[in-house]
Amino acid sequence: QELTFLSKQEILLAYKRFSELLPKEERENACSRRVPKSHILTLPELRANPFQHRICHVFSTSESGDDSISFEDFLDMLSVFSDSATSDIKSCYAFRIFDFDDDGTLDRKDLEQLVNCLTGQGEESRLNSMEMEQLIQNILEESDIDKDGTINLSEFQHVVSRSPDFASSFKIVL
């Protein structure tokens, strides 16, 4: 409880939800098990999230790179997405989720993937190349304070700090 932004009740509920993702015979040792990413993605709270794969990737501590989730990873994820987590912590994780190539900056390619996640992958909802270029240009003009063509964490946090609804919309409630 001291290591998260979760209450005792929330941790107990998280444990119940986590163990339900495991086969029956593994449930009593849920704390020492890893749940495959495919099972985590069945959670209604993630199923409709356009960043579901990135969320699993960012919170997974799996050494094999399969994005499986331990109970500790699951608690970390729920803690960051809880109402009690600070805006700084939420924005730091949002940045990592949006940094598709994990290079520590949001470049044009990351921004394009971000926009595609938000607008949907279908042809009818996807922006054409001119619209995409204009939108990325606008994002960079607004956010890229040092004008290096990328958005770093502090630039991202600066933009997010001007968005009063960011912290309340960056959440998952079990």
Side-chain angles (χ1 to χ4, degrees):
Q1 197 175 329
E2 289 174 21
L3 300 175
T4 71
F5 293 101
L6 303 171
S7 68
K8 183 178 180 181
Q9 279 313 112
E10 289 169 319
I11 292 170
L12 292 171
L13 178 59
Y15 182 79
K16 182 179 183 300
R17 291 289 302 277
F18 183 81
S19 62
E20 287 168 354
L21 295 169
L22 291 164
K24 279 190 171 52
E25 63 276 4
E26 293 180 19
R27 287 184 183 165
E28 61 187 58
N29 294 334
C31 280
S32 61
R33 302 282 185 215
R34 298 191 74 79
V35 171
K37 175 179 159 181
S38 59
H39 293 191
I40 295 291
L41 296 179
T42 65
L43 289 169
E45 297 83 1
L46 284 179
R47 200 177 308 141
N49 191 309
F51 301 101
Q52 57 179 232
H53 295 283
R54 287 295 303 161
I55 290 169
C56 286
H57 179 73
V58 165
F59 286 96
S60 173
T61 56
S62 171
E63 290 176 14
S64 69
D66 64 0
D67 292 347
S68 63
I69 301 280
S70 68
F71 180 60
E72 211 170 288
D73 298 341
F74 192 64
L75 280 184
D76 286 344
M77 177 178 75
L78 293 177
S79 180
V80 167
F81 283 106
S82 78
D83 278 330
S84 310
T86 65
S87 217
D88 268 1
I89 286 179
K90 287 178 178 287
S91 61
C92 187
Y93 277 91
F95 181 83
R96 289 182 58 199
I97 290 165
F98 300 157
D99 181 13
F100 290 88
D101 58 10
D102 296 318
D103 69 352
T105 63
L106 303 184
D107 58 17
R108 288 178 167 279
K109 209 168 179 60
D110 292 318
L111 295 174
E112 188 173 329
Q113 280 187 270
L114 174 58
V115 170
N116 284 334
C117 279
L118 292 172
T119 58
Q121 301 299 325
E123 282 304 311
E124 68 287 342
S125 60
R126 183 167 267 182
L127 299 183
N128 68 40
S129 57
M130 246 173 54
E131 293 168 325
M132 180 67 80
E133 183 50 41
Q134 185 59 57
L135 181 56
I136 290 174
Q137 198 52 48
N138 292 349
I139 292 169
L140 288 171
E141 280 174 24
E142 182 77 20
S143 314
D144 183 16
I145 297 166
D146 63 10
K147 302 296 178 216
D148 67 350
T150 64
I151 301 167
N152 62 36
L153 177 59
S154 64
E155 290 167 333
F156 181 79
Q157 288 181 314
H158 176 71
V159 169
V160 166
S161 71
R162 295 182 301 177
S163 173
D165 58 342
F166 169 74
S168 61
S169 61
F170 194 77
K171 69 178 180 182
I172 292 176
V173 180
L174 282 183

